[in-house]
């Protein structure tokens, strides 16, 4: 398994509140922009889950 795949498998999933703290944005901004601007996420039941490394990559590309 490649190093990036191992690191990704070990990275934990976080919720909307943690992403909002990480970005310095309100949780409402996260909810509003998940679909509108394509914030990378996975949907688990009725909740969004994120990997902070994907959020950082997304922010750097926007």
């Amino acid at each position: 398994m490649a190093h990036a795949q191992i690191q990704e498998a070990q990275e934990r999933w976080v919720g909307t509140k943690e992403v909002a703290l990480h970005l310095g944005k309100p949780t409402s901004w996260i909810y509003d922009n998940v679909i509108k601007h394509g914030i990378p996420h996975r949907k688990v039941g009725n909740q969004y889950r994120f990997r902070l490394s994907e959020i950082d990559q997304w922010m750097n590309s926007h």
Side-chain angles (χ1 to χ4, degrees):
M1 189 179 288
H3 178 69
Q5 290 174 321
I6 292 170
Q7 185 177 6
E8 184 177 300
Q10 293 175 348
E11 184 179 357
R12 69 185 186 95
W13 293 93
V14 298
T16 306
K17 288 180 185 178
E18 192 163 339
V19 172
L21 286 172
H22 182 71
L23 296 178
K25 302 278 188 183
T27 54
S28 59
W29 186 91
I30 305 301
Y31 288 118
D32 290 345
N33 289 285
V34 163
I35 302 301
K36 186 189 284 185
H37 293 290
I39 295 175
H41 69 284
R42 307 298 183 282
K43 190 122 186 218
V44 180
N46 64 348
Q47 298 178 344
Y48 293 120
R49 292 289 181 239
F50 309 86
R51 286 197 166 132
L52 294 180
S53 64
E54 292 178 358
I55 298 298
D56 291 339
Q57 288 175 353
W58 179 81
M59 288 295 290
N60 289 332
S61 69
H62 287 82

